[in-house]
Amino acid sequence: MSTPMKLGAVIITMGNRPDELRALLDSVAKQDGDRIETVVVGNGAPVPDVPPGVRTVELPENLGIPGGRNVGIEAFGPSGADVDALLFLDDDGLLPLTDTAELCRQAFEEDPKLGIISFRIADPDTGVTQRRHVPRLRAADPMRSSRVTTFLGGANAVRTRVLAEVGGLPGDFFYAHEETDLAWRALDAGWMIDYRADMVLNHPTTAPSRHAVYHRMVARNRVWLARRNLPAPLVPVYLGVWLLLTLLRKPSGPALRAWFGGFREGWAKPCGPRRPMRWRTVWRLTRLGRPPVI
């Protein structure tokens, strides 16, 4: 018999949700199968008390979501090499089912080209999955699993071979679109991504705009995402579509000013290395239902 896949978990925290963090850690510990080694990263804040056996890393400053998660990855060796796959979980989430880890192992073992799994996020009180948490355009039925072109940052599992091959999350993004950047690089390298409705993370219903920097970061990182990853002819198309969609959504005056400020910043500041995806990857994204122009 083959050895079961070894799983790790990375959780970043600002130290302000100790009760939720403890409940999440307990739910990870209750997973069926082999023990999941867990690392909690204090992102510019002390880590609250954690159960014995949970490792902690405290950073002197907030590196943002991708930066904090990258530190967590390296806590498992270069590109997470000490384990076969890593779970990335929001610190106010909860795994309500005990078979999620085993389902991850089974999915990765059955499909050697599966690189990333996106879990379904459900409100713990209502069971409702927000449309924005289904990572595809046809999001009306959150109970339908499918191949997808991106994933949810705080509810996923990533095969560490993907990280070794294409690199980690883009740390400079700080917040917003870092998952899609990694997803596009993984797809370009030949990996696949699945949305699995049966792998659930409970998480309170929230609005992304609750973050003060939301509109600026979303716009800036959208530009960086295109500049880093898209073939040159698609960059103006992709950004033009998102500009139009933003205007059609009629944001408030302050939100729109912040958005345009971020859009300008995305062009003015370095975006990191440019590695445009191959045209066959563009076609793959199109066949999966989300061409990289929207």
Side-chain angles (χ1 to χ4, degrees):
M1 295 180 63
S2 61
T3 303
M5 290 190 71
K6 187 175 182 181
L7 300 182
V10 173
I11 301 164
I12 59 174
T13 184
M14 298 293 292
N16 56 349
R17 294 190 281 235
D19 294 339
E20 292 89 340
L21 173 62
R22 186 60 181 249
L24 171 62
L25 293 171
D26 289 344
S27 74
V28 172
K30 292 176 183 176
Q31 290 297 299
D32 300 335
D34 292 347
R35 176 179 174 271
I36 300 172
E37 185 176 352
T38 303
V39 170
V40 177
V41 178
N43 213 356
V47 176
D49 289 339
V50 297
V54 174
R55 290 193 287 153
T56 63
V57 179
E58 293 186 352
L59 303 178
E61 62 178 312
N62 183 356
L63 299 182
I65 294 173
R69 287 186 177 138
N70 283 340
V71 170
I73 292 169
E74 296 302 309
F76 289 92
S79 301
D82 294 346
V83 294
D84 299 304
L86 285 168
L87 310 182
F88 295 91
L89 307 170
D90 277 351
D91 69 341
D92 56 345
L94 181 81
L95 297 174
L97 306 173
T98 62
D99 64 349
T100 301
E102 284 289 82
L103 289 173
C104 284
R105 292 186 181 99
Q106 180 181 350
F108 284 131
E109 288 167 353
E110 290 180 351
D111 186 352
K113 295 308 295 180
L114 178 61
I116 302 172
I117 301 171
S118 188
F119 302 167
R120 179 169 63 89
I121 293 180
D123 184 273
D125 297 322
T126 65
V128 171
T129 296
Q130 292 180 273
R131 188 181 182 92
R132 70 184 182 89
H133 284 152
V134 183
R136 59 178 180 242
L137 290 179
R138 296 175 181 175
D141 182 8
M143 302 306 294
R144 178 174 66 87
S145 300
S146 68
R147 294 282 200 204
V148 289
T149 61
T150 188
F151 64 99
L152 306 175
N156 67 80
V158 180
R159 196 189 293 265
T160 52
R161 282 178 53 202
V162 174
L163 301 171
E165 185 172 345
V166 307
L169 295 157
D172 288 343
F173 278 40
F174 197 85
Y175 164 77
H177 303 319
E178 66 272 6
E179 303 92 354
T180 300
D181 188 272
L182 176 57
W184 282 1
R185 286 182 281 127
L187 288 163
D188 196 49
W191 296 98
M192 300 303 294
I193 305 169
D194 278 357
Y195 166 74
R196 288 285 297 264
D198 56 339
M199 302 182 191
V200 182
L201 182 86
N202 279 352
H203 189 282
T205 298
T206 57
S209 55
R210 70 190 186 280
H211 298 290
V213 296
Y214 170 77
H215 297 286
R216 180 175 70 86
M217 293 285 190
V218 162
R220 183 197 68 182
N221 292 357
R222 186 78 71 182
V223 176
W224 282 357
L225 181 67
R227 290 176 59 196
R228 285 164 57 93
N229 295 288
L230 290 180
L234 293 185
V235 173
V237 179
Y238 177 80
L239 295 176
V241 167
W242 279 105
L243 173 60
L244 178 61
L245 287 173
T246 299
L247 295 175
L248 289 174
R249 289 168 178 165
K250 299 180 179 180
S252 66
L256 192 60
R257 286 192 293 274
W259 194 95
F260 274 109
F263 192 83
R264 289 191 295 271
E265 185 180 349
W267 288 106
K269 292 189 175 181
C271 63
R274 173 168 165 76
R275 299 187 181 96
M277 66 177 66
R278 292 167 290 186
W279 283 103
R280 70 182 184 185
T281 304
V282 173
W283 176 236
R284 174 187 289 180
L285 289 163
T286 303
R287 286 190 290 111
L288 288 171
R290 189 153 196 162
V293 293
I294 188 169

Short mmCIF file of all heavy atoms in Angstrom, two decimals, residues 56-96:
data_model
loop_
_atom_site.label_atom_id
_atom_site.label_comp_id
_atom_site.label_asym_id
_atom_site.label_seq_id
_atom_site.Cartn_x
_atom_site.Cartn_y
_atom_site.Cartn_z
N THR A 56 4.08 27.97 15.74
CA THR A 56 3.75 29.38 15.51
C THR A 56 4.96 30.12 14.97
O THR A 56 6.11 29.79 15.27
CB THR A 56 3.27 30.05 16.81
OG1 THR A 56 4.34 30.03 17.77
CG2 THR A 56 2.06 29.34 17.38
N VAL A 57 4.67 31.14 14.18
CA VAL A 57 5.68 32.07 13.68
C VAL A 57 5.10 33.48 13.88
O VAL A 57 3.99 33.75 13.43
CB VAL A 57 5.99 31.85 12.18
CG1 VAL A 57 7.03 32.86 11.71
CG2 VAL A 57 6.45 30.42 11.92
N GLU A 58 5.84 34.36 14.53
CA GLU A 58 5.37 35.72 14.75
C GLU A 58 6.23 36.69 13.93
O GLU A 58 7.44 36.75 14.11
CB GLU A 58 5.41 36.07 16.23
CG GLU A 58 4.40 35.26 17.05
CD GLU A 58 4.32 35.71 18.51
OE1 GLU A 58 5.15 36.55 18.92
OE2 GLU A 58 3.42 35.22 19.22
N LEU A 59 5.58 37.41 13.03
CA LEU A 59 6.28 38.36 12.17
C LEU A 59 6.27 39.75 12.80
O LEU A 59 5.26 40.16 13.37
CB LEU A 59 5.60 38.41 10.79
CG LEU A 59 5.50 37.07 10.05
CD1 LEU A 59 4.77 37.24 8.73
CD2 LEU A 59 6.89 36.49 9.80
N PRO A 60 7.36 40.50 12.67
CA PRO A 60 7.41 41.82 13.27
C PRO A 60 6.51 42.84 12.59
O PRO A 60 6.19 43.88 13.17
CB PRO A 60 8.89 42.22 13.15
CG PRO A 60 9.41 41.40 12.00
CD PRO A 60 8.65 40.11 12.04
N GLU A 61 6.10 42.56 11.36
CA GLU A 61 5.21 43.47 10.65
C GLU A 61 4.22 42.68 9.81
O GLU A 61 4.45 41.51 9.50
CB GLU A 61 6.01 44.42 9.74
CG GLU A 61 6.80 43.71 8.64
CD GLU A 61 7.53 44.69 7.74
OE1 GLU A 61 6.89 45.66 7.29
OE2 GLU A 61 8.73 44.48 7.51
N ASN A 62 3.12 43.33 9.47
CA ASN A 62 2.09 42.71 8.65
C ASN A 62 2.57 42.66 7.20
O ASN A 62 2.73 43.70 6.56
CB ASN A 62 0.79 43.52 8.77
CG ASN A 62 -0.36 42.89 8.01
OD1 ASN A 62 -0.20 41.88 7.32
ND2 ASN A 62 -1.53 43.48 8.12
N LEU A 63 2.78 41.45 6.68
CA LEU A 63 3.23 41.28 5.30
C LEU A 63 2.08 41.14 4.32
O LEU A 63 2.31 40.90 3.14
CB LEU A 63 4.14 40.04 5.20
CG LEU A 63 5.42 40.06 6.03
CD1 LEU A 63 6.22 38.79 5.77
CD2 LEU A 63 6.25 41.30 5.73
N GLY A 64 0.85 41.28 4.80
CA GLY A 64 -0.30 41.07 3.94
C GLY A 64 -0.63 39.59 3.85
O GLY A 64 0.09 38.73 4.36
N ILE A 65 -1.74 39.29 3.20
CA ILE A 65 -2.21 37.91 3.13
C ILE A 65 -1.23 37.02 2.37
O ILE A 65 -0.80 35.98 2.90
CB ILE A 65 -3.62 37.86 2.51
CG1 ILE A 65 -4.62 38.53 3.46
CG2 ILE A 65 -4.03 36.42 2.24
CD1 ILE A 65 -6.01 38.69 2.88
N PRO A 66 -0.82 37.37 1.15
CA PRO A 66 0.10 36.47 0.45
C PRO A 66 1.46 36.38 1.12
O PRO A 66 2.06 35.30 1.18
CB PRO A 66 0.20 37.07 -0.96
CG PRO A 66 -0.20 38.49 -0.80
CD PRO A 66 -1.22 38.51 0.30
N GLY A 67 1.97 37.49 1.66
CA GLY A 67 3.26 37.46 2.33
C GLY A 67 3.23 36.57 3.56
O GLY A 67 4.15 35.78 3.81
N GLY A 68 2.16 36.69 4.35
CA GLY A 68 2.04 35.85 5.54
C GLY A 68 1.92 34.39 5.18
O GLY A 68 2.52 33.52 5.83
N ARG A 69 1.14 34.08 4.16
CA ARG A 69 0.99 32.68 3.75
C ARG A 69 2.29 32.13 3.18
O ARG A 69 2.60 30.94 3.38
CB ARG A 69 -0.15 32.55 2.75
CG ARG A 69 -1.52 32.71 3.42
CD ARG A 69 -2.69 32.45 2.52
NE ARG A 69 -3.93 32.56 3.30
CZ ARG A 69 -5.04 33.14 2.88
NH1 ARG A 69 -5.09 33.67 1.66
NH2 ARG A 69 -6.12 33.19 3.65
N ASN A 70 3.06 32.95 2.50
CA ASN A 70 4.35 32.47 1.99
C ASN A 70 5.29 32.09 3.14
O ASN A 70 6.03 31.11 3.05
CB ASN A 70 5.01 33.54 1.12
CG ASN A 70 4.39 33.63 -0.27
OD1 ASN A 70 3.74 32.71 -0.73
ND2 ASN A 70 4.59 34.76 -0.93
N VAL A 71 5.25 32.85 4.22
CA VAL A 71 6.06 32.50 5.40
C VAL A 71 5.59 31.16 5.95
O VAL A 71 6.40 30.30 6.33
CB VAL A 71 5.96 33.60 6.47
CG1 VAL A 71 6.59 33.14 7.79
CG2 VAL A 71 6.65 34.87 5.99
N GLY A 72 4.29 30.95 5.99
CA GLY A 72 3.76 29.68 6.45
C GLY A 72 4.18 28.51 5.56
O GLY A 72 4.49 27.42 6.06
N ILE A 73 4.23 28.74 4.27
CA ILE A 73 4.68 27.70 3.33
C ILE A 73 6.12 27.30 3.66
O ILE A 73 6.44 26.11 3.78
CB ILE A 73 4.59 28.21 1.89
CG1 ILE A 73 3.13 28.38 1.46
CG2 ILE A 73 5.30 27.24 0.93
CD1 ILE A 73 2.96 29.12 0.14
N GLU A 74 6.98 28.30 3.82
CA GLU A 74 8.40 28.01 4.04
C GLU A 74 8.65 27.38 5.41
O GLU A 74 9.70 26.76 5.62
CB GLU A 74 9.22 29.30 3.89
CG GLU A 74 9.19 29.89 2.49
CD GLU A 74 9.68 28.91 1.43
OE1 GLU A 74 10.77 28.33 1.60
OE2 GLU A 74 8.95 28.72 0.43
N ALA A 75 7.70 27.49 6.33
CA ALA A 75 7.84 26.80 7.62
C ALA A 75 7.82 25.29 7.45
O ALA A 75 8.23 24.55 8.34
CB ALA A 75 6.72 27.25 8.57
N PHE A 76 7.34 24.83 6.30
CA PHE A 76 7.33 23.40 5.98
C PHE A 76 8.49 23.03 5.05
O PHE A 76 8.43 22.03 4.35
CB PHE A 76 6.01 23.03 5.31
CG PHE A 76 4.83 23.04 6.25
CD1 PHE A 76 4.06 24.19 6.39
CD2 PHE A 76 4.51 21.93 7.01
CE1 PHE A 76 2.98 24.21 7.25
CE2 PHE A 76 3.42 21.94 7.87
CZ PHE A 76 2.65 23.09 8.00
N GLY A 77 9.54 23.82 5.05
CA GLY A 77 10.67 23.57 4.17
C GLY A 77 10.52 24.37 2.89
O GLY A 77 9.49 25.01 2.65
N PRO A 78 11.55 24.37 2.02
CA PRO A 78 11.48 25.14 0.77
C PRO A 78 10.25 24.76 -0.05
O PRO A 78 10.03 23.59 -0.37
CB PRO A 78 12.77 24.75 0.05
CG PRO A 78 13.69 24.29 1.13
CD PRO A 78 12.82 23.65 2.17
N SER A 79 9.41 25.74 -0.33
CA SER A 79 8.16 25.53 -1.08
C SER A 79 7.27 24.48 -0.43
O SER A 79 6.47 23.82 -1.09
CB SER A 79 8.45 25.14 -2.54
OG SER A 79 9.20 26.15 -3.20
N GLY A 80 7.40 24.32 0.89
CA GLY A 80 6.55 23.38 1.62
C GLY A 80 6.89 21.93 1.40
O GLY A 80 6.05 21.04 1.58
N ALA A 81 8.15 21.64 1.06
CA ALA A 81 8.55 20.30 0.63
C ALA A 81 8.40 19.22 1.69
O ALA A 81 8.42 18.02 1.37
CB ALA A 81 10.00 20.34 0.14
N ASP A 82 8.26 19.59 2.96
CA ASP A 82 8.13 18.59 4.02
C ASP A 82 6.78 17.87 3.99
O ASP A 82 6.60 16.84 4.66
CB ASP A 82 8.31 19.22 5.39
CG ASP A 82 9.73 19.74 5.61
OD1 ASP A 82 10.63 19.37 4.82
OD2 ASP A 82 9.94 20.53 6.56
N VAL A 83 5.80 18.43 3.25
CA VAL A 83 4.48 17.81 3.14
C VAL A 83 4.11 17.72 1.65
O VAL A 83 4.75 18.33 0.80
CB VAL A 83 3.41 18.60 3.91
CG1 VAL A 83 3.67 18.55 5.40
CG2 VAL A 83 3.34 20.05 3.44
N ASP A 84 3.07 16.95 1.36
CA ASP A 84 2.63 16.77 -0.03
C ASP A 84 1.65 17.85 -0.47
O ASP A 84 1.57 18.17 -1.65
CB ASP A 84 1.99 15.39 -0.20
CG ASP A 84 2.96 14.27 0.10
OD1 ASP A 84 4.04 14.23 -0.53
OD2 ASP A 84 2.66 13.42 0.97
N ALA A 85 0.87 18.36 0.47
CA ALA A 85 -0.10 19.41 0.15
C ALA A 85 -0.35 20.24 1.39
O ALA A 85 -0.20 19.76 2.52
CB ALA A 85 -1.41 18.81 -0.36
N LEU A 86 -0.74 21.49 1.18
CA LEU A 86 -1.00 22.42 2.27
C LEU A 86 -2.44 22.92 2.20
O LEU A 86 -2.92 23.28 1.12
CB LEU A 86 -0.06 23.61 2.22
CG LEU A 86 1.39 23.37 2.66
CD1 LEU A 86 2.27 24.55 2.29
CD2 LEU A 86 1.44 23.12 4.17
N LEU A 87 -3.11 22.93 3.35
CA LEU A 87 -4.40 23.59 3.47
C LEU A 87 -4.17 25.03 3.89
O LEU A 87 -3.37 25.30 4.79
CB LEU A 87 -5.27 22.90 4.51
CG LEU A 87 -5.45 21.38 4.45
CD1 LEU A 87 -6.40 20.93 5.55
CD2 LEU A 87 -5.95 20.94 3.10
N PHE A 88 -4.85 25.96 3.24
CA PHE A 88 -4.81 27.37 3.63
C PHE A 88 -6.21 27.74 4.12
O PHE A 88 -7.18 27.66 3.35
CB PHE A 88 -4.39 28.25 2.45
CG PHE A 88 -2.98 28.00 2.00
CD1 PHE A 88 -2.72 27.06 1.01
CD2 PHE A 88 -1.92 28.69 2.56
CE1 PHE A 88 -1.42 26.81 0.60
CE2 PHE A 88 -0.61 28.45 2.16
CZ PHE A 88 -0.37 27.50 1.18
N LEU A 89 -6.31 28.15 5.38
CA LEU A 89 -7.60 28.35 6.02
C LEU A 89 -7.66 29.70 6.72
O LEU A 89 -6.72 30.07 7.43
CB LEU A 89 -7.86 27.23 7.04
CG LEU A 89 -7.72 25.79 6.51
CD1 LEU A 89 -7.74 24.80 7.67
CD2 LEU A 89 -8.81 25.48 5.51
N ASP A 90 -8.77 30.43 6.53
CA ASP A 90 -8.97 31.69 7.25
C ASP A 90 -9.11 31.42 8.74
O ASP A 90 -9.73 30.44 9.16
CB ASP A 90 -10.24 32.40 6.75
CG ASP A 90 -9.98 33.21 5.49
OD1 ASP A 90 -8.81 33.38 5.11
OD2 ASP A 90 -10.97 33.68 4.88
N ASP A 91 -8.57 32.34 9.56
CA ASP A 91 -8.56 32.09 11.01
C ASP A 91 -9.93 32.22 11.66
O ASP A 91 -10.10 31.83 12.82
CB ASP A 91 -7.54 32.98 11.71
CG ASP A 91 -7.92 34.46 11.72
OD1 ASP A 91 -8.76 34.86 10.89
OD2 ASP A 91 -7.38 35.21 12.55
N ASP A 92 -10.93 32.74 10.93
CA ASP A 92 -12.29 32.76 11.48
C ASP A 92 -13.18 31.75 10.77
O ASP A 92 -14.41 31.83 10.83
CB ASP A 92 -12.90 34.16 11.41
CG ASP A 92 -12.91 34.74 10.01
OD1 ASP A 92 -12.20 34.21 9.13
OD2 ASP A 92 -13.63 35.74 9.79
N GLY A 93 -12.55 30.78 10.10
CA GLY A 93 -13.29 29.70 9.48
C GLY A 93 -13.34 28.47 10.38
O GLY A 93 -12.78 28.45 11.48
N LEU A 94 -14.00 27.43 9.89
CA LEU A 94 -14.16 26.19 10.65
C LEU A 94 -14.45 25.06 9.69
O LEU A 94 -15.26 25.22 8.77
CB LEU A 94 -15.30 26.33 11.66
CG LEU A 94 -15.56 25.11 12.55
CD1 LEU A 94 -14.58 25.11 13.73
CD2 LEU A 94 -17.00 25.14 13.09
N LEU A 95 -13.79 23.93 9.88
CA LEU A 95 -14.09 22.74 9.08
C LEU A 95 -15.19 21.97 9.80
O LEU A 95 -14.93 21.31 10.80
CB LEU A 95 -12.84 21.88 8.91
CG LEU A 95 -11.67 22.51 8.15
CD1 LEU A 95 -10.45 21.60 8.21
CD2 LEU A 95 -12.06 22.80 6.69
N PRO A 96 -16.43 22.02 9.31
CA PRO A 96 -17.54 21.39 10.05
C PRO A 96 -17.59 19.87 9.89
O PRO A 96 -18.23 19.19 10.69
CB PRO A 96 -18.78 22.03 9.43
CG PRO A 96 -18.37 22.34 8.02
CD PRO A 96 -16.92 22.72 8.10
#
